[in-house]
PDB file of all heavy atoms in Angstrom:
ATOM      1  N   GLY A   1     -16.560   1.784  -8.511  1.00  0.00           N
ATOM      2  CA  GLY A   1     -17.706   2.682  -8.589  1.00  0.00           C
ATOM      3  C   GLY A   1     -17.502   3.993  -7.864  1.00  0.00           C
ATOM      4  O   GLY A   1     -18.441   4.788  -7.743  1.00  0.00           O
ATOM      5  N   THR A   2     -16.267   4.258  -7.396  1.00  0.00           N
ATOM      6  CA  THR A   2     -15.985   5.475  -6.645  1.00  0.00           C
ATOM      7  C   THR A   2     -14.791   6.209  -7.261  1.00  0.00           C
ATOM      8  O   THR A   2     -14.137   5.726  -8.176  1.00  0.00           O
ATOM      9  CB  THR A   2     -15.648   5.183  -5.170  1.00  0.00           C
ATOM     10  OG1 THR A   2     -14.269   4.772  -5.060  1.00  0.00           O
ATOM     11  CG2 THR A   2     -16.538   4.093  -4.599  1.00  0.00           C
ATOM     12  N   ASN A   3     -14.489   7.375  -6.673  1.00  0.00           N
ATOM     13  CA  ASN A   3     -13.301   8.133  -7.067  1.00  0.00           C
ATOM     14  C   ASN A   3     -12.222   8.057  -5.988  1.00  0.00           C
ATOM     15  O   ASN A   3     -11.298   8.854  -5.966  1.00  0.00           O
ATOM     16  CB  ASN A   3     -13.675   9.600  -7.325  1.00  0.00           C
ATOM     17  CG  ASN A   3     -12.590  10.350  -8.084  1.00  0.00           C
ATOM     18  OD1 ASN A   3     -12.150   9.905  -9.136  1.00  0.00           O
ATOM     19  ND2 ASN A   3     -12.147  11.483  -7.550  1.00  0.00           N
ATOM     20  N   PHE A   4     -12.318   7.081  -5.098  1.00  0.00           N
ATOM     21  CA  PHE A   4     -11.356   6.949  -4.016  1.00  0.00           C
ATOM     22  C   PHE A   4     -10.150   6.102  -4.413  1.00  0.00           C
ATOM     23  O   PHE A   4     -10.253   5.188  -5.224  1.00  0.00           O
ATOM     24  CB  PHE A   4     -12.004   6.308  -2.785  1.00  0.00           C
ATOM     25  CG  PHE A   4     -13.024   7.172  -2.109  1.00  0.00           C
ATOM     26  CD1 PHE A   4     -14.376   6.850  -2.171  1.00  0.00           C
ATOM     27  CD2 PHE A   4     -12.635   8.312  -1.421  1.00  0.00           C
ATOM     28  CE1 PHE A   4     -15.321   7.643  -1.550  1.00  0.00           C
ATOM     29  CE2 PHE A   4     -13.577   9.116  -0.802  1.00  0.00           C
ATOM     30  CZ  PHE A   4     -14.918   8.780  -0.861  1.00  0.00           C
ATOM     31  N   VAL A   5      -9.013   6.437  -3.803  1.00  0.00           N
ATOM     32  CA  VAL A   5      -7.836   5.571  -3.797  1.00  0.00           C
ATOM     33  C   VAL A   5      -7.591   5.198  -2.342  1.00  0.00           C
ATOM     34  O   VAL A   5      -7.472   6.080  -1.481  1.00  0.00           O
ATOM     35  CB  VAL A   5      -6.592   6.286  -4.349  1.00  0.00           C
ATOM     36  CG1 VAL A   5      -5.366   5.392  -4.208  1.00  0.00           C
ATOM     37  CG2 VAL A   5      -6.776   6.657  -5.802  1.00  0.00           C
ATOM     38  N   ASP A   6      -7.545   3.910  -2.043  1.00  0.00           N
ATOM     39  CA  ASP A   6      -7.235   3.442  -0.693  1.00  0.00           C
ATOM     40  C   ASP A   6      -5.775   3.012  -0.644  1.00  0.00           C
ATOM     41  O   ASP A   6      -5.302   2.289  -1.542  1.00  0.00           O
ATOM     42  CB  ASP A   6      -8.129   2.268  -0.305  1.00  0.00           C
ATOM     43  CG  ASP A   6      -9.553   2.703   0.036  1.00  0.00           C
ATOM     44  OD1 ASP A   6      -9.821   3.920   0.032  1.00  0.00           O
ATOM     45  OD2 ASP A   6     -10.391   1.822   0.295  1.00  0.00           O
ATOM     46  N   VAL A   7      -5.061   3.445   0.390  1.00  0.00           N
ATOM     47  CA  VAL A   7      -3.619   3.219   0.469  1.00  0.00           C
ATOM     48  C   VAL A   7      -3.247   2.633   1.830  1.00  0.00           C
ATOM     49  O   VAL A   7      -3.659   3.151   2.880  1.00  0.00           O
ATOM     50  CB  VAL A   7      -2.837   4.533   0.255  1.00  0.00           C
ATOM     51  CG1 VAL A   7      -1.322   4.288   0.390  1.00  0.00           C
ATOM     52  CG2 VAL A   7      -3.156   5.132  -1.112  1.00  0.00           C
ATOM     53  N   GLY A   8      -2.464   1.559   1.807  1.00  0.00           N
ATOM     54  CA  GLY A   8      -1.868   0.990   3.003  1.00  0.00           C
ATOM     55  C   GLY A   8      -0.372   0.841   2.805  1.00  0.00           C
ATOM     56  O   GLY A   8       0.118   0.928   1.677  1.00  0.00           O
ATOM     57  N   TRP A   9       0.363   0.626   3.880  1.00  0.00           N
ATOM     58  CA  TRP A   9       1.812   0.478   3.772  1.00  0.00           C
ATOM     59  C   TRP A   9       2.318  -0.443   4.880  1.00  0.00           C
ATOM     60  O   TRP A   9       1.679  -0.622   5.908  1.00  0.00           O
ATOM     61  CB  TRP A   9       2.519   1.829   3.817  1.00  0.00           C
ATOM     62  CG  TRP A   9       2.229   2.661   5.030  1.00  0.00           C
ATOM     63  CD1 TRP A   9       2.959   2.764   6.184  1.00  0.00           C
ATOM     64  CD2 TRP A   9       1.107   3.542   5.207  1.00  0.00           C
ATOM     65  NE1 TRP A   9       2.370   3.627   7.068  1.00  0.00           N
ATOM     66  CE2 TRP A   9       1.221   4.136   6.484  1.00  0.00           C
ATOM     67  CE3 TRP A   9      -0.002   3.886   4.422  1.00  0.00           C
ATOM     68  CZ2 TRP A   9       0.296   5.039   7.000  1.00  0.00           C
ATOM     69  CZ3 TRP A   9      -0.930   4.781   4.920  1.00  0.00           C
ATOM     70  CH2 TRP A   9      -0.775   5.358   6.192  1.00  0.00           C
ATOM     71  N   SER A  10       3.479  -1.043   4.610  1.00  0.00           N
ATOM     72  CA  SER A  10       4.051  -1.989   5.565  1.00  0.00           C
ATOM     73  C   SER A  10       5.551  -2.032   5.366  1.00  0.00           C
ATOM     74  O   SER A  10       6.075  -1.530   4.359  1.00  0.00           O
ATOM     75  CB  SER A  10       3.447  -3.380   5.357  1.00  0.00           C
ATOM     76  OG  SER A  10       3.872  -4.275   6.370  1.00  0.00           O
ATOM     77  N   TYR A  11       6.249  -2.621   6.341  1.00  0.00           N
ATOM     78  CA  TYR A  11       7.695  -2.789   6.219  1.00  0.00           C
ATOM     79  C   TYR A  11       8.061  -4.223   6.539  1.00  0.00           C
ATOM     80  O   TYR A  11       7.715  -4.748   7.609  1.00  0.00           O
ATOM     81  CB  TYR A  11       8.455  -1.840   7.156  1.00  0.00           C
ATOM     82  CG  TYR A  11       9.954  -1.919   6.974  1.00  0.00           C
ATOM     83  CD1 TYR A  11      10.553  -1.413   5.826  1.00  0.00           C
ATOM     84  CD2 TYR A  11      10.764  -2.528   7.929  1.00  0.00           C
ATOM     85  CE1 TYR A  11      11.918  -1.488   5.630  1.00  0.00           C
ATOM     86  CE2 TYR A  11      12.147  -2.611   7.754  1.00  0.00           C
ATOM     87  CZ  TYR A  11      12.708  -2.091   6.595  1.00  0.00           C
ATOM     88  OH  TYR A  11      14.078  -2.189   6.388  1.00  0.00           O
ATOM     89  N   ASP A  12       8.733  -4.871   5.587  1.00  0.00           N
ATOM     90  CA  ASP A  12       9.205  -6.235   5.765  1.00  0.00           C
ATOM     91  C   ASP A  12      10.660  -6.173   6.215  1.00  0.00           C
ATOM     92  O   ASP A  12      11.567  -6.005   5.389  1.00  0.00           O
ATOM     93  CB  ASP A  12       9.063  -7.002   4.449  1.00  0.00           C
ATOM     94  CG  ASP A  12       9.480  -8.467   4.558  1.00  0.00           C
ATOM     95  OD1 ASP A  12      10.061  -8.845   5.603  1.00  0.00           O
ATOM     96  OD2 ASP A  12       9.238  -9.218   3.601  1.00  0.00           O
ATOM     97  N   ALA A  13      10.879  -6.271   7.531  1.00  0.00           N
ATOM     98  CA  ALA A  13      12.228  -6.120   8.080  1.00  0.00           C
ATOM     99  C   ALA A  13      13.166  -7.227   7.610  1.00  0.00           C
ATOM    100  O   ALA A  13      14.368  -7.007   7.432  1.00  0.00           O
ATOM    101  CB  ALA A  13      12.167  -6.100   9.608  1.00  0.00           C
ATOM    102  N   ARG A  14      12.627  -8.412   7.363  1.00  0.00           N
ATOM    103  CA  ARG A  14      13.475  -9.531   6.946  1.00  0.00           C
ATOM    104  C   ARG A  14      14.079  -9.286   5.570  1.00  0.00           C
ATOM    105  O   ARG A  14      15.223  -9.648   5.300  1.00  0.00           O
ATOM    106  CB  ARG A  14      12.671 -10.824   6.950  1.00  0.00           C
ATOM    107  CG  ARG A  14      12.265 -11.299   8.334  1.00  0.00           C
ATOM    108  CD  ARG A  14      11.291 -12.451   8.248  1.00  0.00           C
ATOM    109  NE  ARG A  14      10.063 -12.068   7.544  1.00  0.00           N
ATOM    110  CZ  ARG A  14       9.055 -12.889   7.295  1.00  0.00           C
ATOM    111  NH1 ARG A  14       9.141 -14.161   7.665  1.00  0.00           N
ATOM    112  NH2 ARG A  14       7.983 -12.468   6.682  1.00  0.00           N
ATOM    113  N   ALA A  15      13.307  -8.669   4.690  1.00  0.00           N
ATOM    114  CA  ALA A  15      13.793  -8.399   3.333  1.00  0.00           C
ATOM    115  C   ALA A  15      14.275  -6.967   3.169  1.00  0.00           C
ATOM    116  O   ALA A  15      14.824  -6.621   2.117  1.00  0.00           O
ATOM    117  CB  ALA A  15      12.685  -8.680   2.322  1.00  0.00           C
ATOM    118  N   GLY A  16      14.064  -6.143   4.189  1.00  0.00           N
ATOM    119  CA  GLY A  16      14.443  -4.743   4.082  1.00  0.00           C
ATOM    120  C   GLY A  16      13.645  -3.996   3.038  1.00  0.00           C
ATOM    121  O   GLY A  16      14.165  -3.115   2.344  1.00  0.00           O
ATOM    122  N   GLN A  17      12.348  -4.339   2.905  1.00  0.00           N
ATOM    123  CA  GLN A  17      11.513  -3.762   1.847  1.00  0.00           C
ATOM    124  C   GLN A  17      10.344  -2.983   2.424  1.00  0.00           C
ATOM    125  O   GLN A  17       9.621  -3.462   3.309  1.00  0.00           O
ATOM    126  CB  GLN A  17      10.954  -4.892   0.958  1.00  0.00           C
ATOM    127  CG  GLN A  17      11.985  -5.607   0.111  1.00  0.00           C
ATOM    128  CD  GLN A  17      12.293  -4.853  -1.182  1.00  0.00           C
ATOM    129  OE1 GLN A  17      11.782  -3.779  -1.416  1.00  0.00           O
ATOM    130  NE2 GLN A  17      13.125  -5.450  -2.015  1.00  0.00           N
ATOM    131  N   LEU A  18      10.154  -1.777   1.903  1.00  0.00           N
ATOM    132  CA  LEU A  18       8.920  -1.039   2.131  1.00  0.00           C
ATOM    133  C   LEU A  18       7.898  -1.543   1.136  1.00  0.00           C
ATOM    134  O   LEU A  18       8.201  -1.709  -0.055  1.00  0.00           O
ATOM    135  CB  LEU A  18       9.147   0.463   1.923  1.00  0.00           C
ATOM    136  CG  LEU A  18       7.894   1.343   1.942  1.00  0.00           C
ATOM    137  CD1 LEU A  18       7.250   1.363   3.319  1.00  0.00           C
ATOM    138  CD2 LEU A  18       8.223   2.760   1.472  1.00  0.00           C
ATOM    139  N   ILE A  19       6.676  -1.798   1.597  1.00  0.00           N
ATOM    140  CA  ILE A  19       5.608  -2.288   0.728  1.00  0.00           C
ATOM    141  C   ILE A  19       4.479  -1.264   0.750  1.00  0.00           C
ATOM    142  O   ILE A  19       3.905  -0.964   1.797  1.00  0.00           O
ATOM    143  CB  ILE A  19       5.089  -3.658   1.201  1.00  0.00           C
ATOM    144  CG1 ILE A  19       6.241  -4.668   1.258  1.00  0.00           C
ATOM    145  CG2 ILE A  19       3.993  -4.162   0.270  1.00  0.00           C
ATOM    146  CD1 ILE A  19       5.861  -5.975   1.935  1.00  0.00           C
ATOM    147  N   LEU A  20       4.163  -0.706  -0.427  1.00  0.00           N
ATOM    148  CA  LEU A  20       3.066   0.240  -0.591  1.00  0.00           C
ATOM    149  C   LEU A  20       1.935  -0.453  -1.334  1.00  0.00           C
ATOM    150  O   LEU A  20       2.171  -1.107  -2.361  1.00  0.00           O
ATOM    151  CB  LEU A  20       3.532   1.465  -1.383  1.00  0.00           C
ATOM    152  CG  LEU A  20       4.692   2.250  -0.784  1.00  0.00           C
ATOM    153  CD1 LEU A  20       5.210   3.273  -1.783  1.00  0.00           C
ATOM    154  CD2 LEU A  20       4.272   2.932   0.508  1.00  0.00           C
ATOM    155  N   MET A  21       0.721  -0.321  -0.818  1.00  0.00           N
ATOM    156  CA  MET A  21      -0.434  -1.009  -1.400  1.00  0.00           C
ATOM    157  C   MET A  21      -1.532   0.016  -1.702  1.00  0.00           C
ATOM    158  O   MET A  21      -1.833   0.870  -0.869  1.00  0.00           O
ATOM    159  CB  MET A  21      -0.960  -2.061  -0.421  1.00  0.00           C
ATOM    160  CG  MET A  21       0.079  -3.117  -0.040  1.00  0.00           C
ATOM    161  SD  MET A  21      -0.348  -4.012   1.490  1.00  0.00           S
ATOM    162  CE  MET A  21       0.047  -2.784   2.737  1.00  0.00           C
ATOM    163  N   SER A  22      -2.125  -0.084  -2.883  1.00  0.00           N
ATOM    164  CA  SER A  22      -3.187   0.852  -3.240  1.00  0.00           C
ATOM    165  C   SER A  22      -4.226   0.171  -4.120  1.00  0.00           C
ATOM    166  O   SER A  22      -3.916  -0.769  -4.859  1.00  0.00           O
ATOM    167  CB  SER A  22      -2.614   2.074  -3.970  1.00  0.00           C
ATOM    168  OG  SER A  22      -1.968   1.690  -5.171  1.00  0.00           O
ATOM    169  N   THR A  23      -5.465   0.650  -4.020  1.00  0.00           N
ATOM    170  CA  THR A  23      -6.545   0.181  -4.889  1.00  0.00           C
ATOM    171  C   THR A  23      -7.342   1.379  -5.380  1.00  0.00           C
ATOM    172  O   THR A  23      -7.458   2.406  -4.700  1.00  0.00           O
ATOM    173  CB  THR A  23      -7.497  -0.792  -4.163  1.00  0.00           C
ATOM    174  OG1 THR A  23      -8.026  -0.156  -2.993  1.00  0.00           O
ATOM    175  CG2 THR A  23      -6.802  -2.082  -3.786  1.00  0.00           C
ATOM    176  N   GLU A  24      -7.918   1.222  -6.569  1.00  0.00           N
ATOM    177  CA  GLU A  24      -8.765   2.250  -7.164  1.00  0.00           C
ATOM    178  C   GLU A  24      -9.647   1.587  -8.210  1.00  0.00           C
ATOM    179  O   GLU A  24      -9.452   0.418  -8.568  1.00  0.00           O
ATOM    180  CB  GLU A  24      -7.921   3.339  -7.833  1.00  0.00           C
ATOM    181  CG  GLU A  24      -7.181   2.814  -9.058  1.00  0.00           C
ATOM    182  CD  GLU A  24      -6.359   3.859  -9.796  1.00  0.00           C
ATOM    183  OE1 GLU A  24      -6.017   4.889  -9.190  1.00  0.00           O
ATOM    184  OE2 GLU A  24      -6.046   3.630 -10.984  1.00  0.00           O
ATOM    185  N   ASP A  25     -10.617   2.335  -8.707  1.00  0.00           N
ATOM    186  CA  ASP A  25     -11.405   1.905  -9.862  1.00  0.00           C
ATOM    187  C   ASP A  25     -10.717   2.447 -11.103  1.00  0.00           C
ATOM    188  O   ASP A  25     -10.530   3.656 -11.236  1.00  0.00           O
ATOM    189  CB  ASP A  25     -12.830   2.456  -9.749  1.00  0.00           C
ATOM    190  CG  ASP A  25     -13.759   1.897 -10.822  1.00  0.00           C
ATOM    191  OD1 ASP A  25     -13.288   1.639 -11.954  1.00  0.00           O
ATOM    192  OD2 ASP A  25     -14.958   1.740 -10.547  1.00  0.00           O
TER     193      ASP A  25
END
């Protein structure tokens, strides 16, 4: 119901992976 994008991020050191997370309508 909004025009927002929410963004989070994390780093998994064990797998060597950057994880980007986002939500929107």
Side-chain angles (χ1 to χ4, degrees):
T2 81
N3 195 53
F4 292 110
V5 175
D6 285 357
V7 178
W9 56 96
S10 187
Y11 184 71
D12 182 350
R14 292 171 299 178
Q17 291 277 3
L18 172 66
I19 303 170
L20 301 170
M21 301 161 284
S22 61
T23 57
E24 68 178 21
D25 188 326

